[in-house]
Amino acid sequence: MRIGQGYDIHIFVENRKFILGGVEIPYEKGLLGHSDADALIHSIIDSIFGALNLGDIGEHFPDSDIKYKDISSLELLTKTGEILKEKGYKIINIDSTIILEKPKLSPYKKLMAKNISAALNIKEEDVSIKGKTKEKQDSAGSGKSVEVYSVCLIEKNL
């Protein structure tokens, strides 16, 4: 078994959709990024690449490559799952913590888990998503950004 840890942060900006876990969440701002800026998916991708010892998301899907401009991060997650499978591994579970003050994520967490599990071809119950605040501290706590921490446990296919 191997474990990988991932992290991502994106700032809120005007005139962008707010997408987390492949879900468009109604909100006055969205996240800035080259792709759809889905910080949850990016964090999970980094945790998978970390577990595989294959670097990070930027090495596989660089923001300097125009083909990734505005791409759905679920597509990148699906490609990451294919790399995982090619290397002979499978996911045991994923655990993610999303840090932001608002909006509340409770209505969307189940759909996020469903999207992630479908992209990786794993069970929904193997994807845990939690929402936390930073009690008004730093950029996430002041509503300027979203931070996500993820861990992924993998094992070699037999």
Side-chain angles (χ1 to χ4, degrees):
M1 284 199 202
R2 300 172 67 115
I3 192 166
Q5 179 263 333
Y7 169 81
D8 199 27
I9 184 171
H10 284 271
I11 61 169
F12 278 114
V13 295
E14 301 286 337
N15 302 314
R16 288 274 297 191
K17 294 178 181 179
F18 181 35
I19 299 172
L20 278 180
V23 177
E24 186 176 336
I25 299 170
Y27 193 57
E28 63 213 29
K29 295 180 181 178
L31 298 175
L32 180 64
H34 183 71
S35 66
D36 62 4
D38 189 327
L40 173 57
I41 301 294
H42 296 178
S43 176
I44 291 170
I45 289 171
D46 265 353
S47 73
I48 294 168
F49 285 141
L52 291 168
N53 194 21
L54 291 178
D56 61 45
I57 189 172
E59 294 172 56
H60 296 269
F61 312 114
D63 62 7
S64 58
D65 192 330
I66 193 69
K67 72 181 171 186
Y68 301 121
K69 179 75 174 140
D70 297 323
I71 193 170
S72 167
S73 293
L74 285 172
E75 288 184 50
L76 302 179
L77 184 61
T78 298
K79 290 178 184 182
T80 302
E82 291 166 0
I83 293 168
L84 177 88
K85 187 175 179 182
E86 287 169 11
K87 295 293 183 182
Y89 284 88
K90 66 179 180 180
I91 292 173
I92 301 300
N93 74 303
I94 294 168
D95 184 27
S96 297
T97 303
I98 304 167
I99 302 169
L100 76 166
E101 293 300 310
K102 58 183 180 175
K104 295 295 182 193
L105 299 178
S106 295
Y108 310 104
K109 292 191 297 186
K110 188 169 180 68
L111 183 53
M112 289 177 194
K114 182 177 181 176
N115 289 343
I116 292 161
S117 65
L120 292 170
N121 198 26
I122 61 175
K123 296 176 188 170
E124 279 182 58
E125 65 227 33
D126 294 334
V127 179
S128 168
I129 299 169
K130 303 175 300 294
K132 299 289 181 187
T133 69
K134 279 220 172 161
E135 303 296 330
K136 311 246 185 268
Q137 302 300 305
D138 71 29
S139 69
S142 65
K144 295 178 184 174
S145 67
V146 172
E147 285 183 271
V148 184
Y149 294 86
S150 296
V151 292
C152 176
L153 183 64
I154 64 173
E155 73 177 358
K156 198 78 158 156
N157 283 322
L158 299 178

